[in-house]
Structure formats: C-alpha cells, structure tokens
Amino acid sequence: MAKVIDIKCPTCSAPLQITPGAQQVTCKYCGGTSVIDRGGAAKPAGGGTVVQVPKPNTAPFVLAGVIGALAVAGTAATLALNTASVDLPAIATPGAPATAAKSGAAAPADKLRFGDQPMLADVDGDGTINVVGKVDQTGDPHTIAAFNGRDGALLWQTEPLTKDAQDGSAKRAIVHGRVLSIDGLGKVQAYELRTGTPAWSTLLGEKAQRICAGEALIVVETADEVRHGLDPASGKKQTLDKKTPCTPVYSSDEEETPGYKMIGWWEFDKHRLGKNEVDGLSAHSALIPADPEAPRFVLGSRDKGTSVAMVGAVAKRDVLWKNVVPGVDPLTTTVNVTTQQAAYSDGRLVIPYNMKDSGEGVRMACFDAKTGTRLWDVQVHKHSQVSSGLAITADDVFYATWTELYVLSLKTGELRFRLGKGF
C-alpha cells in the first residue's frame, strides 16, 4: 500500500499529507500551494514555496533511524522513572486512524499515565458517565482516550497528538458531540465523541483561552478577545458577538465546569464575598455553584495559629457553617491556598488535602453542603501530591494526579477504580 508522508507547511507549519507521485500540495489550513522537491532541486515558478520529501530509497533508513532513537529514548525514560511494564493497547502512529476498543475491554494499567483535568460525558450512549482525557505511556506521544466510568475499560484512543497539542497552552474540551484538541498555535482538531476518530480540523489564527457551548455552536474565545463559532458537524467558522450566550463545558480548564466555577479572591467583590467573610478563615478562593439557591463555599486557611485548610459556606451574607478541611489531626496536614481544589454536586462538597509528610499523599473530605456535616474522609493515595484536576457527578468523584486517575463513590468515598501509575 502507498505510504502518505507527513510534512509541515512552510507557510503556517500545519501538517501536510503528501501522497506518492504528487508534484505539488495545497495546505488545508492556510490554502498555500507548495512544489514538492524529491531531491531534484525543484524551482517553482513565481518564487513559490518548496517542501522537501525524502527520496523513496532513503525513506526506510530514515524511518529506521527515527524508530531506533525513539526506542533508546523510551528505554532511558523508563529506567529513570522506574515504571512498571504493563502493556497498553498500541498507540497509533501519527496520521493513522484512531483506534477504538470494544466495550468491556480490560482497563489498561501501570504503564498508562492519565494526566489531565477529567472531562465527563456519556461517550457510548449507554447512560453511564465516562471519562475522557490526555494520556501517555512512558516514552510515547500523548493521545486522548475515553474510559468507561464504571470500571475504567478503554473505549477508544485517538491518534498521537502533535507536539504543539501536548504543551501547556493547548486546550481540550467536549462540546456538542465533539472532543476538541486545540494546540498552542490555535489549530483545532475535532474528534467524534463516540469513536475518537478525526471529524474535522480548522485554524483559529490565535491561541484559545476558553471553550464553551453556544446554541448549536462550539464557541472558542481566543487571546485577541475574539469569539469564534464553529459548526459541530463541519468546523465551518463564523465570528460571534461578545454577548453571544455561552455555557460552560467539560474542558482541560478546571476553574469552570458545568455546575460550578472556581474564583480567586480578586473576584470576590463581583460575587459579594469578602476575604474575611467567615470569622477565623482567611479566604483565598471560592466555589460558586451555578444554582443560585445553593450556598457559596469559601476556601482558605485558619487565620490564627498553624496554617490549616478551612472551608465555610455562605448564603447571601449569612455564614451557614465553617470547618477545618482535614478529618485527621490538622497538624499532620499542610495547605497551599493558591492550589486548593473543590467540587460540588448533589448537595455535597468534596475537597482534597495534602498530608505534611509527602509520603502520606493525599486525602479527601466530603461535607454536606447545607450543614457542614463531614460525610466521609478517605485516603486517596500515598504518591505524588501534584494534581491535574478534579471533576464530579451525582455519583462519582474523579481525581487526577499528574500520572493517575482515581474514581471514588460520592456517597461513601469508596474507590471504584484507578488508572495509571503513581510516583
């Protein structure tokens, strides 16, 4: 079978797919046309651009060298991280179709690393809320994968993400039946939510800042304060007014999610909150539910004595309750008020907290939102205290570290399943 070669566009750096025997190629992002040079020093008329493609007889050696280098790098990384070696279903090569696992396939384990804000959706239409996020194996490119929300079985896995789609400025979201991956250059790749197969791609021309849902439209706000409307079926673009209604979606940004948003102290005035709203609590952030009848929750630390994580609930200007977050001896814990997390659903508030001894990992507390009664307090893990994000449904809590995903029952705190490898 003829091999399609991936080369970058010399004008906009987008990927170009070049078929054997082609004399020129047109970029689907910027529309620029380039002459293909296969070693003959091609010169386009009018000073156009040229892309160089390896000669057919040298390509196998180039490919072999690349594979060898990746193998060495992967081996070194594996030894350095001391990870276990448990196989994961094969990751597709760049440009290949996405792979889809059959429902009920065994969940991949140790070698897989889940390091993303968990994004939630009923992927396969069976009524179960599933989890989607960026994953990788040691030494391999990142992909996006979907897992069954009941047992962690792999549902599908995309082709490898480009380098720019893996960096810190890249964003991901689930909107109107599409999984979006927007890289640091503003290139959008949409995948089918049900299968993980590529649907369409387009170029924004600027970095994405926020992704939300308009009426039958995907809305992307970019760094230049422009709102782009994207048709979920085709990706066709239209510029929107800044006042176009836009609702939160599950995305790689944990500050805003369906049901609530997290704000910093600098936004307190907008929500009629004060840093010292709750006596004895120095607030640094707050969780604001979408339900206007629900309490608002301020997070911070004890304002006197040893710094200990605290939470308080406020309705209008009335303080409903306050409590220390830890359910264990508070002096055995630690708090960084700039990284506190919380999630709210079905009248329950969950808050993870770190142990002072890093080897003791992370615990999580759950409170009744109206009364402040502690419903449960459990050990999540005894690994790295770096968190990638927190999400919640009426049944489950999804907590991600930089390499693992833990799914706990919201009602009891019992661990349902775990994905990944702890360090």
Side-chain angles (χ1 to χ4, degrees), residues 108 112 114 129-133 135 145-149 152-155 417 419:
L112 168 68
F114 187 106
I129 297 299
N130 308 120
V131 59
V132 178
V135 302
F147 302 91
N148 187 289
L154 179 67
L155 299 177
F417 67 87
L419 293 171

Side-chain angles (χ1 to χ4, degrees), residues 5 60 77 176 216 278 332 360 390:
I5 302 170
H176 290 316
V278 180
T332 65
E360 291 298 310
L390 177 67

Side-chain angles (χ1 to χ4, degrees), residues 47-394:
T49 58
V50 177
V51 291
Q52 294 184 330
V53 177
K55 294 180 180 180
N57 61 338
T58 63
F61 299 100
V62 173
L63 181 60
V66 172
I67 291 174
L70 288 175
V72 172
T75 301
T78 303
L79 291 174
L81 292 173
N82 191 29
T83 59
S85 178
V86 177
D87 290 335
L88 175 71
I91 291 179
T93 54
T99 57
K102 293 182 179 179
S103 177
D110 293 342
K111 201 173 180 182
L112 168 68
R113 304 192 302 187
F114 187 106
D116 205 358
Q117 166 69 20
M119 299 181 291
L120 308 179
D122 181 359
V123 170
D124 49 12
D126 66 352
T128 296
I129 297 299
N130 308 120
V131 59
V132 178
K134 186 178 68 171
V135 302
D136 76 317
Q137 293 182 67
T138 305
D140 288 331
H142 290 81
T143 66
I144 297 174
F147 302 91
N148 187 289
R150 294 291 87 193
D151 58 14
L154 179 67
L155 299 177
W156 54 253
Q157 187 173 12
T158 68
E159 60 190 14
L161 302 176
T162 64
K163 181 179 179 181
D164 293 319
Q166 299 179 48
D167 68 23
S169 62
K171 295 189 180 296
R172 292 160 296 285
I174 299 176
V175 199
H176 290 316
R178 295 286 186 253
V179 178
L180 297 188
S181 172
I182 307 180
D183 72 15
L185 302 178
K187 298 170 189 173
V188 184
Q189 176 62 60
Y191 301 93
E192 299 279 356
L193 175 60
R194 292 181 66 88
T195 63
T197 53
W200 47 262
S201 59
T202 190
L203 191 65
L204 298 174
E206 181 56 279
K207 292 182 179 181
Q209 295 283 66
R210 179 174 180 251
I211 307 169
C212 49
E215 186 176 351
L217 275 179
I218 297 168
V219 180
V220 182
E221 298 175 358
T222 48
D224 54 1
E225 300 183 354
V226 174
R227 273 191 165 189
H228 304 265
L230 305 177
D231 175 47
S234 65
K236 185 177 180 181
K237 293 191 296 182
Q238 58 179 284
T239 301
L240 303 177
D241 185 273
K242 290 183 179 180
K243 296 182 180 179
T244 302
C246 189
T247 58
V249 298
Y250 285 107
S251 74
S252 51
D253 293 328
E254 65 174 308
E255 288 78 16
E256 184 180 47
T257 192
Y260 63 88
K261 66 178 179 178
M262 298 292 297
I263 64 168
W265 62 265
W266 52 91
E267 297 181 88
F268 277 14
D269 287 346
K270 186 189 306 182
H271 297 273
R272 298 182 180 181
L273 290 172
K275 285 197 68 176
N276 299 305
E277 189 86 15
V278 180
D279 185 45
L281 190 163
S282 179
H284 194 274
S285 60
L287 185 152
I288 311 296
D291 179 1
E293 300 301 317
R296 294 166 295 167
F297 307 97
V298 291
L299 303 168
S301 61
R302 196 162 59 184
D303 65 0
K304 293 180 181 178
T306 303
S307 183
V308 173
M310 286 194 68
V311 58
V314 178
K316 296 182 180 179
R317 304 297 300 202
D318 298 326
V319 176
L320 301 181
W321 56 267
K322 64 180 180 180
N323 207 339
V324 294
V325 173
V328 297
D329 180 355
L331 298 187
T332 65
T333 69
T334 185
V335 58
N336 181 343
V337 294
T338 65
T339 59
Q340 279 180 299
Q341 297 172 296
Y344 169 80
S345 179
D346 200 35
R348 298 185 178 217
L349 178 74
V350 297
I351 307 174
Y353 62 92
N354 293 343
M355 300 302 293
K356 189 172 184 179
D357 179 354
S358 61
E360 291 298 310
V362 175
R363 295 184 65 88
M364 186 177 293
C366 178
F367 300 91
D368 182 287
K370 290 184 178 180
T371 66
T373 301
R374 189 183 302 274
L375 302 175
W376 49 261
D377 190 293
V378 300
Q379 184 86 46
V380 180
H381 65 73
K382 292 187 176 183
H383 302 302
S384 168
Q385 295 177 336
V386 177
S387 172
S388 290
L390 177 67
I392 194 170
T393 68

